[in-house]
Each structure stands twice: as C-alpha cells, then as structure tokens.
Amino acid sequence: MEDLWPPPSREVADAMRSLCQRLLTETDALVDTFARPSLVAQNDPALLADASLVEEDRELNRSDLVQWLTANIQQPGRRVEPYVGPRTTAYINDLVSRGIAPDFDGAWRVALGIGWRRWLEECVAHCADRDLLVGVLDVSGKSLVQYALDSVAALREAGLAAAMGNAGADAIALIQLIASGAPMAEDLAEGRLRYRLARWHVGLVLWVEDPEHVDALDEAIPAARSAAAGLSALVARASATSRWIWLSGPGVPDLHPVEKVLAMADGVRAAVGRPGRGLEGFRSSHQDALAAQALIIRLGSDRRFTAYADVELIDALTKDRAGARRFVINTLGPLAEADTALRQALLTYVQCGFNTTRAAANLYAHRNTVERRVSRANELSAVKVEDNPTHVAAALLVLDIAPDIVTTRSS
C-alpha cells in the first residue's frame, strides 16, 4: 500500500516496536475493553440478538488489533494493510445474506477512541523523553486513523462482493425479517419459505465454538431431522458457526429424540425455545432459543442442550454478571463454594416440592443421604430455604448453569 507519511526515525520505530510487542501479550484484555461498546455502536438489533454473530464480531475486533500490532512490530509506523481472511469473509457473507447492515464506521469510531486512550497511556508510561513521545504519538496517530479508514473500506468491498455472489440470500433475509418482528403475511412467508407456518413450532439454535468444527455441526443437522420423525423442518445458515432450525407439526413437537441425537454430536451445542403456534410462535420460539444461546455463552457454561423454559429466570438474573455473582454469594454464603452434591440435593429438594422421597428418587440416592445433604446445605446457606425458597432455588440454578461464577473474577 502507498505510504502517506514519511517513515519514522530509528528511535521512534524502536519505541513503537517495543510498545506493540508489550501490548500483543494483552490482546484479549484489550479486545474486552472495546468489543462490546463498538458492537453496540453498530446499531443493529439483529446482530446484538445473535450470540454467534457477536462472537464473530469480537473475533473480527481481535483480528484487526493483532494485524495492526504485528505490522508495527515488523515495520513500525508504516501504513498497515487490513487483513480480510476467510473467517472475516464468511462473517460478512452471513451478515449480507441475512440483510444485516452494521454501522462499521460507528464501530470503528468507538473502538478507535478507546484504543487510542490505552495506547496513549502506554506511550506516556514508557517514553520518558519528550521528543520521543511526540514522535511516537505523531506517527502512530496517523497509522491508526488510516488503518481505520482502510479497514472500513475493506469491509464495504467484502460486503459488495458477498451481495453479488450470494444467490441464496433471499430466504435467509426473509427469515431474519420474520424473526426480528417485521410485519409479514403468513401465506406470503409460507410460499417463499416452502414451510407451513399455521402449526406448532419449536425453534432451535445449533452452534460450535470453533469454526474448524463446523463439519460436526453440519453432520448433526440431518441426524436431528431424522430423529424428528413426522415433523417438518426448516434449516437456515445463521453464521459460520451456527444454524437456525425450526421443527413443526400439528401438535407440540417432542424434542426428546432430537436431544438424544444432539448429545452424541461432538462439540455441538443446542438451545431450544418454548413451543409456539403460527407466525408469532415461529418468531417467539426462535427468540427464546437465541436468548438461551446468549445466556450459555455469556456465563461460559458447558451445557450441551439448554431449553429456555428452564433458564428464563436465570437469564433475567444474570444480565449483569457481577450482580448475579453478588446475588449468589449473598444468598448462599459458604454453600456457594461447598460440595456440589450438597447444592444439588438442596436444589432438587426444593424443585420436588420439599418432598425428600421424590428428591431421593430423582437423585438416585437413599432418602437418609438426601436428608443429611439437605440439612447440611441449609446450615451453610446464608439464606435458609424455609425463609426464602425462591431466592435459594434461583441462586442454586445460577450455580448449576455457571459453576465458576463465584470463584472467577466477574467480567
């Protein structure tokens, strides 16, 4: 690429190289500071609602940061060419196919402001000489601003290329419109999707964490469809690492056979919404599934199959992870870090209507064992189960989904 400013002096180049080497070891922490604000600045509800796309957006931020730091280690202070790799290209293709048009300019303005502040702090801390500091800030400022401009232009070019080459964009774009709540005639949507809407639906989101495991994802889908015998299915590619599925029938679909099949799919995670009927049920069940997926990713849970009906309360409680952590600690006290068997016994006991016999059957344990565990758990809990069973059960459910929320530093 053409250089638009003179190369830096050797002293400035050496200082920039040293600063970039130091920051390269803090990449994940740096991305954490601007990934969410820049995502919000893109001003697209459909993007914000899809946890798989959010992860891809974060990866794009990380790739951009690593590209600029690495380039300035190799050639400090020079113009940096944006890197649009296969993963970024796939991400842009997914956005275009779903009719999602994020404000990349706004995202870069926010990210650049936060990143510049962090770069400024690093420069001031490690450039004691005034002239050296001015030189580093001068050339790095030019490099960063130009990198932002070039990156936005590269994303636009990738978007145009995706729009020209995406023949199947109409169907997924229509699905995105329906899922987002846009007014839509049911018969029109049925005709274009070739999928009956005037029946019961259950929405699922299937995803993998690593794009290299996407083959397992694509293999799981036909297996799930086979398990859902007698049900109609609609499948859409939502992103490089996720797929949306709807299963429908004249009655509420039974997903137990599907759950068993997906449990054998290595590395594949699944979230499922509550059943719903008609166009609104198609939409609401899908939104439930997206919310369940976002909860699992937000809490770093290792659950493989999550029904939103089982975690709706936890979703509301954990929107603020730090607040959820305080709630668990204040409610459970020492029980929060006690033996898992004690917590499971107390949770099952509450869920079984305080019936020890039923709890023992569910836990495949002797009744006396369950009684001892429940008693010991209640002794450890800051809030006693007889005083506020709802809070105790909610706190235990949070820990059941995210066991490390107490022991790890909240994000």
Side-chain angles (χ1 to χ4, degrees):
M1 298 184 77
E2 179 187 0
D3 284 321
L4 302 178
W5 56 88
S9 67
R10 188 180 67 180
E11 292 78 14
V12 168
D14 289 343
M16 285 191 65
R17 181 180 290 109
S18 177
L19 290 166
C20 290
Q21 287 172 335
R22 185 177 293 105
L23 289 176
L24 194 59
T25 65
E26 304 174 17
T27 301
D28 290 334
L30 285 170
V31 172
D32 286 341
T33 63
F34 61 76
R36 185 67 188 179
S38 66
L39 177 70
V40 173
Q42 292 179 59
N43 194 31
D44 197 301
L47 175 57
L48 285 166
D50 190 322
S52 291
L53 290 182
V54 169
E55 286 295 297
E56 290 305 302
D57 185 77
R58 189 183 189 283
E59 182 60 30
L60 176 59
N61 280 315
R62 189 180 187 282
S63 175
D64 286 339
L65 176 62
V66 169
Q67 174 72 356
W68 190 82
L69 291 173
T70 303
N72 275 282
I73 290 171
Q74 297 169 346
Q75 291 185 309
R78 309 300 290 269
R79 187 177 181 182
V80 177
E81 183 170 3
Y83 172 67
V84 181
R87 187 165 181 177
T88 299
T89 300
Y91 173 56
I92 298 299
N93 285 341
D94 292 330
L95 294 179
V96 170
S97 69
R98 288 170 55 180
I100 298 175
D103 181 2
F104 287 125
D105 294 57
W108 261 102
R109 279 194 295 271
V110 170
L112 194 59
I114 296 171
W116 176 253
R117 175 59 185 265
R118 181 67 184 89
W119 176 255
L120 186 62
E121 292 172 346
E122 197 73 11
C123 290
V124 171
H126 295 94
C127 296
D129 182 79
R130 178 184 177 278
D131 291 339
L132 177 62
L133 175 61
V134 170
V136 169
L137 293 177
D138 177 46
V139 73
S140 60
K142 293 173 181 174
S143 178
L144 275 169
V145 170
Q146 190 60 47
Y147 183 57
L149 295 172
D150 290 339
S151 295
V152 170
L155 290 172
R156 285 176 179 160
E157 288 179 11
L160 287 172
M164 293 175 64
N166 197 335
D170 285 350
I172 185 62
L174 178 63
I175 290 171
Q176 179 66 62
L177 282 173
I178 297 171
S180 300
M184 183 73 59
E186 193 170 277
D187 56 349
L188 173 63
E190 282 188 345
R192 291 178 62 181
L193 294 177
R194 298 181 182 178
Y195 174 81
R196 289 184 62 191
L197 290 169
R199 16 173 45 198
W200 283 93
H201 307 274
V202 173
L204 297 96
V205 176
L206 269 59
W207 79 98
V208 292
E209 295 177 351
D210 189 338
E212 293 185 2
H213 298 159
V214 74
D215 287 348
L217 179 63
D218 289 331
E219 289 170 5
I221 291 171
R225 294 181 70 165
S226 296
L231 298 176
S232 298
L234 176 65
V235 180
R237 174 193 164 106
S239 74
T241 56
S242 69
R243 304 290 183 266
W244 293 348
I245 302 177
W246 285 265
L247 298 174
S248 66
V252 175
D254 178 13
L255 289 192
H256 288 97
V258 176
E259 182 178 355
K260 290 179 181 178
V261 166
L262 292 178
M264 296 183 288
D266 187 33
V268 177
R269 318 284 289 279
V272 56
R274 291 167 297 196
R277 184 171 175 78
L279 184 64
E280 183 54 38
F282 177 93
R283 177 184 292 129
S284 64
S285 187
H286 173 66
Q287 290 171 340
D288 281 354
L290 286 177
Q293 179 198 24
L295 167 72
I296 294 303
I297 292 176
R298 182 172 73 243
L299 296 183
S301 173
D302 60 0
R303 280 199 173 196
R304 295 282 302 278
F305 191 94
T306 305
Y308 187 65
D310 296 337
V311 298
E312 185 174 10
L313 174 62
I314 307 309
D315 186 33
L317 284 172
T318 57
K319 294 292 187 182
D320 171 14
R321 186 181 174 93
R325 182 175 183 272
R326 287 193 300 273
F327 170 73
V328 169
I329 292 172
N330 292 339
T331 303
L332 300 182
L335 180 59
E337 298 188 77
D339 187 351
T340 304
L342 295 179
R343 298 199 301 268
Q344 191 60 51
L346 183 58
L347 176 59
T348 306
Y349 174 67
V350 176
Q351 290 174 329
C352 290
F354 307 99
N355 186 310
T356 308
T357 302
R358 285 177 56 200
N362 285 357
L363 292 168
Y364 301 101
H366 194 279
R367 188 176 189 278
N368 292 343
T369 301
V370 174
E371 283 184 344
R372 286 196 303 271
R373 289 176 179 172
V374 168
S375 177
R376 177 56 180 157
N378 203 32
E379 288 175 8
L380 292 172
S381 183
V383 175
K384 305 307 175 188
V385 70
E386 61 271 19
D387 295 333
N388 198 331
T390 302
H391 276 209
V392 172
L396 289 169
L397 279 169
V398 172
L399 274 181
D400 186 50
I401 294 171
D404 66 343
I405 197 168
V406 171
T407 56
T408 59
R409 186 169 162 239
S410 101
S411 58

PDB file of all heavy atoms in Angstrom, residues 216-217 219-220 223-224 227 256-270 304-305:
ATOM      1  N   ALA A 216     -18.874 -30.978  12.134  1.00  0.00           N
ATOM      2  CA  ALA A 216     -19.696 -31.689  13.116  1.00  0.00           C
ATOM      3  C   ALA A 216     -21.082 -31.062  13.203  1.00  0.00           C
ATOM      4  O   ALA A 216     -22.088 -31.752  13.371  1.00  0.00           O
ATOM      5  CB  ALA A 216     -19.012 -31.671  14.486  1.00  0.00           C
ATOM      6  N   LEU A 217     -21.133 -29.748  13.055  1.00  0.00           N
ATOM      7  CA  LEU A 217     -22.409 -29.033  13.082  1.00  0.00           C
ATOM      8  C   LEU A 217     -23.276 -29.450  11.901  1.00  0.00           C
ATOM      9  O   LEU A 217     -24.462 -29.766  12.054  1.00  0.00           O
ATOM     10  CB  LEU A 217     -22.145 -27.524  13.062  1.00  0.00           C
ATOM     11  CG  LEU A 217     -23.352 -26.590  13.056  1.00  0.00           C
ATOM     12  CD1 LEU A 217     -24.166 -26.759  14.322  1.00  0.00           C
ATOM     13  CD2 LEU A 217     -22.889 -25.137  12.906  1.00  0.00           C
ATOM     14  N   GLU A 219     -23.073 -32.126  10.178  1.00  0.00           N
ATOM     15  CA  GLU A 219     -23.435 -33.540  10.276  1.00  0.00           C
ATOM     16  C   GLU A 219     -24.564 -33.755  11.281  1.00  0.00           C
ATOM     17  O   GLU A 219     -25.356 -34.696  11.156  1.00  0.00           O
ATOM     18  CB  GLU A 219     -22.211 -34.358  10.690  1.00  0.00           C
ATOM     19  CG  GLU A 219     -21.156 -34.475   9.603  1.00  0.00           C
ATOM     20  CD  GLU A 219     -19.855 -35.069  10.116  1.00  0.00           C
ATOM     21  OE1 GLU A 219     -19.823 -35.482  11.302  1.00  0.00           O
ATOM     22  OE2 GLU A 219     -18.876 -35.128   9.345  1.00  0.00           O
ATOM     23  N   ALA A 220     -24.633 -32.890  12.288  1.00  0.00           N
ATOM     24  CA  ALA A 220     -25.656 -33.050  13.327  1.00  0.00           C
ATOM     25  C   ALA A 220     -27.048 -32.717  12.823  1.00  0.00           C
ATOM     26  O   ALA A 220     -28.046 -33.261  13.316  1.00  0.00           O
ATOM     27  CB  ALA A 220     -25.310 -32.160  14.524  1.00  0.00           C
ATOM     28  N   ALA A 223     -28.985 -35.612  11.199  1.00  0.00           N
ATOM     29  CA  ALA A 223     -29.272 -36.581  12.263  1.00  0.00           C
ATOM     30  C   ALA A 223     -30.445 -36.107  13.112  1.00  0.00           C
ATOM     31  O   ALA A 223     -31.322 -36.893  13.483  1.00  0.00           O
ATOM     32  CB  ALA A 223     -28.026 -36.779  13.125  1.00  0.00           C
ATOM     33  N   ALA A 224     -30.457 -34.797  13.401  1.00  0.00           N
ATOM     34  CA  ALA A 224     -31.563 -34.238  14.192  1.00  0.00           C
ATOM     35  C   ALA A 224     -32.868 -34.296  13.413  1.00  0.00           C
ATOM     36  O   ALA A 224     -33.928 -34.599  13.979  1.00  0.00           O
ATOM     37  CB  ALA A 224     -31.235 -32.802  14.576  1.00  0.00           C
ATOM     38  N   ALA A 227     -34.209 -37.769  13.544  1.00  0.00           N
ATOM     39  CA  ALA A 227     -34.774 -38.078  14.861  1.00  0.00           C
ATOM     40  C   ALA A 227     -36.146 -37.443  15.045  1.00  0.00           C
ATOM     41  O   ALA A 227     -36.977 -37.966  15.794  1.00  0.00           O
ATOM     42  CB  ALA A 227     -33.824 -37.594  15.963  1.00  0.00           C
ATOM     43  N   HIS A 256     -37.449 -34.805  22.663  1.00  0.00           N
ATOM     44  CA  HIS A 256     -36.593 -35.749  23.388  1.00  0.00           C
ATOM     45  C   HIS A 256     -35.713 -36.592  22.447  1.00  0.00           C
ATOM     46  O   HIS A 256     -34.516 -36.758  22.709  1.00  0.00           O
ATOM     47  CB  HIS A 256     -37.446 -36.656  24.283  1.00  0.00           C
ATOM     48  CG  HIS A 256     -38.001 -35.939  25.480  1.00  0.00           C
ATOM     49  ND1 HIS A 256     -39.273 -35.416  25.515  1.00  0.00           N
ATOM     50  CD2 HIS A 256     -37.427 -35.621  26.674  1.00  0.00           C
ATOM     51  CE1 HIS A 256     -39.484 -34.832  26.683  1.00  0.00           C
ATOM     52  NE2 HIS A 256     -38.379 -34.928  27.400  1.00  0.00           N
ATOM     53  N   PRO A 257     -36.251 -37.120  21.333  1.00  0.00           N
ATOM     54  CA  PRO A 257     -35.371 -37.874  20.418  1.00  0.00           C
ATOM     55  C   PRO A 257     -34.278 -36.992  19.812  1.00  0.00           C
ATOM     56  O   PRO A 257     -33.145 -37.439  19.626  1.00  0.00           O
ATOM     57  CB  PRO A 257     -36.340 -38.371  19.336  1.00  0.00           C
ATOM     58  CG  PRO A 257     -37.691 -38.330  19.963  1.00  0.00           C
ATOM     59  CD  PRO A 257     -37.661 -37.171  20.890  1.00  0.00           C
ATOM     60  N   VAL A 258     -34.611 -35.732  19.524  1.00  0.00           N
ATOM     61  CA  VAL A 258     -33.615 -34.806  18.971  1.00  0.00           C
ATOM     62  C   VAL A 258     -32.526 -34.530  19.991  1.00  0.00           C
ATOM     63  O   VAL A 258     -31.333 -34.500  19.661  1.00  0.00           O
ATOM     64  CB  VAL A 258     -34.300 -33.495  18.533  1.00  0.00           C
ATOM     65  CG1 VAL A 258     -33.263 -32.489  18.047  1.00  0.00           C
ATOM     66  CG2 VAL A 258     -35.332 -33.762  17.448  1.00  0.00           C
ATOM     67  N   GLU A 259     -32.924 -34.339  21.246  1.00  0.00           N
ATOM     68  CA  GLU A 259     -31.939 -34.076  22.304  1.00  0.00           C
ATOM     69  C   GLU A 259     -30.962 -35.238  22.439  1.00  0.00           C
ATOM     70  O   GLU A 259     -29.755 -35.041  22.599  1.00  0.00           O
ATOM     71  CB  GLU A 259     -32.659 -33.838  23.630  1.00  0.00           C
ATOM     72  CG  GLU A 259     -31.708 -33.512  24.777  1.00  0.00           C
ATOM     73  CD  GLU A 259     -32.438 -33.236  26.077  1.00  0.00           C
ATOM     74  OE1 GLU A 259     -33.682 -33.209  26.078  1.00  0.00           O
ATOM     75  OE2 GLU A 259     -31.750 -33.039  27.101  1.00  0.00           O
ATOM     76  N   LYS A 260     -31.453 -36.471  22.347  1.00  0.00           N
ATOM     77  CA  LYS A 260     -30.582 -37.644  22.459  1.00  0.00           C
ATOM     78  C   LYS A 260     -29.568 -37.694  21.321  1.00  0.00           C
ATOM     79  O   LYS A 260     -28.392 -38.011  21.519  1.00  0.00           O
ATOM     80  CB  LYS A 260     -31.426 -38.919  22.472  1.00  0.00           C
ATOM     81  CG  LYS A 260     -32.244 -39.102  23.748  1.00  0.00           C
ATOM     82  CD  LYS A 260     -33.074 -40.384  23.679  1.00  0.00           C
ATOM     83  CE  LYS A 260     -33.907 -40.560  24.944  1.00  0.00           C
ATOM     84  NZ  LYS A 260     -34.764 -41.777  24.877  1.00  0.00           N
ATOM     85  N   VAL A 261     -30.030 -37.377  20.108  1.00  0.00           N
ATOM     86  CA  VAL A 261     -29.128 -37.387  18.948  1.00  0.00           C
ATOM     87  C   VAL A 261     -28.063 -36.298  19.083  1.00  0.00           C
ATOM     88  O   VAL A 261     -26.877 -36.532  18.838  1.00  0.00           O
ATOM     89  CB  VAL A 261     -29.937 -37.199  17.643  1.00  0.00           C
ATOM     90  CG1 VAL A 261     -29.014 -36.873  16.479  1.00  0.00           C
ATOM     91  CG2 VAL A 261     -30.735 -38.452  17.343  1.00  0.00           C
ATOM     92  N   LEU A 262     -28.482 -35.098  19.481  1.00  0.00           N
ATOM     93  CA  LEU A 262     -27.529 -33.990  19.591  1.00  0.00           C
ATOM     94  C   LEU A 262     -26.520 -34.227  20.707  1.00  0.00           C
ATOM     95  O   LEU A 262     -25.398 -33.708  20.654  1.00  0.00           O
ATOM     96  CB  LEU A 262     -28.288 -32.683  19.837  1.00  0.00           C
ATOM     97  CG  LEU A 262     -29.152 -32.193  18.659  1.00  0.00           C
ATOM     98  CD1 LEU A 262     -29.895 -30.924  19.041  1.00  0.00           C
ATOM     99  CD2 LEU A 262     -28.281 -31.943  17.433  1.00  0.00           C
ATOM    100  N   ALA A 263     -26.893 -35.004  21.720  1.00  0.00           N
ATOM    101  CA  ALA A 263     -25.960 -35.294  22.813  1.00  0.00           C
ATOM    102  C   ALA A 263     -24.755 -36.078  22.319  1.00  0.00           C
ATOM    103  O   ALA A 263     -23.686 -36.057  22.944  1.00  0.00           O
ATOM    104  CB  ALA A 263     -26.670 -36.074  23.917  1.00  0.00           C
ATOM    105  N   MET A 264     -24.914 -36.750  21.181  1.00  0.00           N
ATOM    106  CA  MET A 264     -23.804 -37.537  20.620  1.00  0.00           C
ATOM    107  C   MET A 264     -22.991 -36.751  19.594  1.00  0.00           C
ATOM    108  O   MET A 264     -22.008 -37.262  19.069  1.00  0.00           O
ATOM    109  CB  MET A 264     -24.357 -38.809  19.981  1.00  0.00           C
ATOM    110  CG  MET A 264     -25.024 -39.752  20.979  1.00  0.00           C
ATOM    111  SD  MET A 264     -25.596 -41.297  20.231  1.00  0.00           S
ATOM    112  CE  MET A 264     -26.998 -40.718  19.268  1.00  0.00           C
ATOM    113  N   ALA A 265     -23.400 -35.528  19.299  1.00  0.00           N
ATOM    114  CA  ALA A 265     -22.687 -34.713  18.301  1.00  0.00           C
ATOM    115  C   ALA A 265     -21.537 -33.985  18.979  1.00  0.00           C
ATOM    116  O   ALA A 265     -21.757 -33.062  19.768  1.00  0.00           O
ATOM    117  CB  ALA A 265     -23.650 -33.726  17.653  1.00  0.00           C
ATOM    118  N   ASP A 266     -20.342 -34.387  18.691  1.00  0.00           N
ATOM    119  CA  ASP A 266     -19.155 -33.872  19.383  1.00  0.00           C
ATOM    120  C   ASP A 266     -18.984 -32.374  19.151  1.00  0.00           C
ATOM    121  O   ASP A 266     -18.871 -31.918  18.014  1.00  0.00           O
ATOM    122  CB  ASP A 266     -17.909 -34.617  18.891  1.00  0.00           C
ATOM    123  CG  ASP A 266     -16.670 -34.249  19.696  1.00  0.00           C
ATOM    124  OD1 ASP A 266     -16.822 -33.977  20.898  1.00  0.00           O
ATOM    125  OD2 ASP A 266     -15.572 -34.239  19.115  1.00  0.00           O
ATOM    126  N   GLY A 267     -18.958 -31.615  20.242  1.00  0.00           N
ATOM    127  CA  GLY A 267     -18.689 -30.181  20.161  1.00  0.00           C
ATOM    128  C   GLY A 267     -19.869 -29.317  19.774  1.00  0.00           C
ATOM    129  O   GLY A 267     -19.752 -28.094  19.740  1.00  0.00           O
ATOM    130  N   VAL A 268     -21.014 -29.909  19.479  1.00  0.00           N
ATOM    131  CA  VAL A 268     -22.184 -29.141  19.051  1.00  0.00           C
ATOM    132  C   VAL A 268     -23.026 -28.776  20.269  1.00  0.00           C
ATOM    133  O   VAL A 268     -23.320 -29.620  21.112  1.00  0.00           O
ATOM    134  CB  VAL A 268     -23.034 -29.933  18.043  1.00  0.00           C
ATOM    135  CG1 VAL A 268     -24.287 -29.162  17.661  1.00  0.00           C
ATOM    136  CG2 VAL A 268     -22.208 -30.248  16.794  1.00  0.00           C
ATOM    137  N   ARG A 269     -23.401 -27.496  20.366  1.00  0.00           N
ATOM    138  CA  ARG A 269     -24.261 -27.020  21.446  1.00  0.00           C
ATOM    139  C   ARG A 269     -25.636 -26.708  20.863  1.00  0.00           C
ATOM    140  O   ARG A 269     -25.759 -26.381  19.676  1.00  0.00           O
ATOM    141  CB  ARG A 269     -23.684 -25.741  22.075  1.00  0.00           C
ATOM    142  CG  ARG A 269     -22.167 -25.763  22.296  1.00  0.00           C
ATOM    143  CD  ARG A 269     -21.776 -26.600  23.482  1.00  0.00           C
ATOM    144  NE  ARG A 269     -22.148 -25.955  24.727  1.00  0.00           N
ATOM    145  CZ  ARG A 269     -21.422 -24.989  25.310  1.00  0.00           C
ATOM    146  NH1 ARG A 269     -20.306 -24.546  24.735  1.00  0.00           N
ATOM    147  NH2 ARG A 269     -21.808 -24.471  26.465  1.00  0.00           N
ATOM    148  N   ALA A 270     -26.660 -26.795  21.699  1.00  0.00           N
ATOM    149  CA  ALA A 270     -28.018 -26.533  21.223  1.00  0.00           C
ATOM    150  C   ALA A 270     -28.803 -25.743  22.256  1.00  0.00           C
ATOM    151  O   ALA A 270     -28.675 -25.969  23.462  1.00  0.00           O
ATOM    152  CB  ALA A 270     -28.739 -27.846  20.911  1.00  0.00           C
ATOM    153  N   ARG A 304     -24.633 -28.641  27.059  1.00  0.00           N
ATOM    154  CA  ARG A 304     -24.727 -29.007  25.651  1.00  0.00           C
ATOM    155  C   ARG A 304     -26.108 -28.724  25.080  1.00  0.00           C
ATOM    156  O   ARG A 304     -26.246 -28.432  23.893  1.00  0.00           O
ATOM    157  CB  ARG A 304     -24.408 -30.502  25.494  1.00  0.00           C
ATOM    158  CG  ARG A 304     -22.976 -30.877  25.859  1.00  0.00           C
ATOM    159  CD  ARG A 304     -22.012 -30.518  24.752  1.00  0.00           C
ATOM    160  NE  ARG A 304     -22.359 -31.165  23.504  1.00  0.00           N
ATOM    161  CZ  ARG A 304     -22.038 -32.411  23.177  1.00  0.00           C
ATOM    162  NH1 ARG A 304     -21.353 -33.152  24.030  1.00  0.00           N
ATOM    163  NH2 ARG A 304     -22.386 -32.913  22.013  1.00  0.00           N
ATOM    164  N   PHE A 305     -27.167 -28.872  25.908  1.00  0.00           N
ATOM    165  CA  PHE A 305     -28.546 -28.705  25.436  1.00  0.00           C
ATOM    166  C   PHE A 305     -29.296 -27.887  26.475  1.00  0.00           C
ATOM    167  O   PHE A 305     -29.376 -28.271  27.640  1.00  0.00           O
ATOM    168  CB  PHE A 305     -29.199 -30.068  25.247  1.00  0.00           C
ATOM    169  CG  PHE A 305     -30.527 -30.013  24.525  1.00  0.00           C
ATOM    170  CD1 PHE A 305     -30.595 -30.197  23.158  1.00  0.00           C
ATOM    171  CD2 PHE A 305     -31.711 -29.784  25.220  1.00  0.00           C
ATOM    172  CE1 PHE A 305     -31.816 -30.158  22.480  1.00  0.00           C
ATOM    173  CE2 PHE A 305     -32.935 -29.736  24.561  1.00  0.00           C
ATOM    174  CZ  PHE A 305     -32.979 -29.926  23.184  1.00  0.00           C
TER     175      PHE A 305
END
